[in-house]
Amino acid sequence: MQSVNMKTEQCIKFLNFIFGDDLDFYEEFAIHLSDEEQEKFFDDNPDFMCDFPVKRDKMYLLKDRMFRGILRKIGKCEGGRG
């Protein structure tokens, strides 16, 4: 039974990843990159976070949990998933 629960959790995580937004991806993966790796990631993916009101030169703010919470609230107000 535990194996079924584990597979269900994995499926849910995968679906959340696929249907998640850029902020979800950032919190799950990119936040753990070094500053240099994050800069390269943002350079390589210029459309990343384009749905959120944060400019490219202020991406360092994404490391702040409170700032990400504000972005989520803005997303909800604008009718997105947030």
Side-chain angles (χ1 to χ4, degrees):
M1 187 65 168
Q2 186 175 4
S3 177
V4 171
N5 288 338
M6 197 170 194
K7 287 182 182 180
T8 302
E9 285 179 32
Q10 289 175 339
C11 287
I12 290 170
K13 285 182 180 182
F14 179 72
L15 289 174
N16 287 338
F17 171 74
I18 295 297
F19 294 108
D21 58 23
D22 286 351
L23 191 53
D24 294 333
F25 181 84
Y26 180 82
E27 288 180 327
E28 189 69 27
F29 299 102
I31 198 169
H32 304 292
L33 300 174
S34 69
D35 290 344
E36 294 81 21
E37 291 171 323
Q38 280 192 28
E39 284 181 30
K40 182 170 176 11
F41 177 81
F42 290 126
D43 288 342
D44 292 345
N45 301 283
D47 292 334
F48 184 70
M49 296 295 293
C50 67
D51 292 337
F52 293 92
V54 60
K55 298 200 185 296
R56 170 71 177 85
D57 61 335
K58 303 292 183 203
M59 288 292 180
Y60 66 90
L61 292 171
L62 292 172
K63 290 187 177 188
D64 185 283
R65 186 171 47 137
M66 187 177 295
F67 182 76
R68 293 191 312 272
I70 292 168
L71 288 178
R72 288 196 188 287
K73 288 181 182 186
I74 291 170
K76 285 180 183 179
C77 289
E78 292 179 345
R81 283 179 24 123

